[in-house]
Amino acid sequence: MRFSIFSSVAIAVTATLVATPSNTNAAQPATEIHWKELVPQVQPVTKPKPFFAGAKPLMDDGSPAPPPKPEGRWMSTPAAKAGALAPIVAELDGKYVSIGGYVVPLDFDATKVKEFLLVPFVGACIHVPPPPANQIIYVKIDKGFDVAGAFDPVTVTGKLTASQTFTGLAEAGYSIEADSVVNRKE
């Protein structure tokens, strides 16, 4: 009698374990990223100190240091044409992410947008010079989404690809096959 009760319990437990769905295929939540994470971290460059007055600074290998370059907010157009594109973060390639920004439509029908550039600030690529490639994301969403307003912010969720793409309007350092584009309030 004990053997049959034990067997019945073992069969019931086994049936329950087999019928319980595995959690290994559950979708991972998107990692929220910010625009600054799309720019590679650069090690700070320290100026070599001259040994005596009037000495020229030297590089680590002993060669003369190049002259200082003027600072600017965005990458200049000649540098972009010369192939000196802004570096991207290769470690982000293939990550499932969520990021907020503003829409610059590329492919649309009335208010439904299927392809666009996601940029960090209003008016980028339209009224001002485009930001560097590592601050532009080319987004494609097959089903499209309705734009609420020309300058309304959105949140894009999907798989990020870290590779540069020329869109005709600007060079994009990243692209996303979007699962969703949601209008958001600021």
Side-chain angles (χ1 to χ4, degrees):
M1 187 80 167
R2 285 186 184 174
F3 183 71
S4 64
I5 291 173
F6 177 72
S7 298
S8 299
V9 170
I11 291 171
V13 169
T14 304
T16 303
L17 291 175
V18 171
T20 304
S22 171
N23 223 6
T24 58
N25 293 331
Q28 296 281 336
T31 302
E32 185 177 345
I33 61 172
H34 302 279
W35 288 97
K36 65 183 177 184
E37 296 173 56
L38 299 176
V39 179
Q41 296 297 318
V42 179
Q43 298 298 326
V45 177
T46 57
K47 283 186 169 181
K49 294 180 182 176
F51 291 107
F52 55 93
K56 303 239 182 219
L58 300 175
M59 301 299 287
D60 290 337
D61 64 359
S63 64
K69 294 182 180 181
E71 293 184 24
R73 181 169 178 196
W74 300 113
M75 176 176 67
S76 66
T77 304
K81 289 182 181 176
L85 296 174
I88 57 175
V89 180
E91 293 80 21
L92 292 174
D93 190 46
K95 302 281 185 183
Y96 191 71
V97 300
S98 177
I99 185 168
Y102 297 88
V103 174
V104 178
L106 296 174
D107 180 17
F108 57 93
D109 182 21
T111 61
K112 187 170 282 295
V113 176
K114 291 186 175 186
E115 292 181 35
F116 61 94
L117 298 178
L118 186 69
V119 293
F121 57 90
V122 173
C125 301
I126 298 173
H127 302 295
V128 296
N134 60 17
Q135 293 292 286
I136 301 175
I137 302 172
Y138 168 71
V139 180
K140 186 174 182 180
I141 182 163
D142 291 332
K143 60 185 176 184
F145 78 101
D146 288 321
V147 178
F151 301 111
D152 290 342
V154 298
T155 299
V156 175
T157 303
K159 183 179 176 186
L160 184 75
T161 302
S163 66
Q164 297 184 348
T165 305
F166 184 69
T167 64
L169 184 59
E171 194 75 40
Y174 301 92
S175 59
I176 292 180
E177 282 289 330
D179 292 333
S180 72
V181 177
V182 179
N183 292 312
R184 62 183 173 93
K185 300 282 184 207
E186 275 196 300

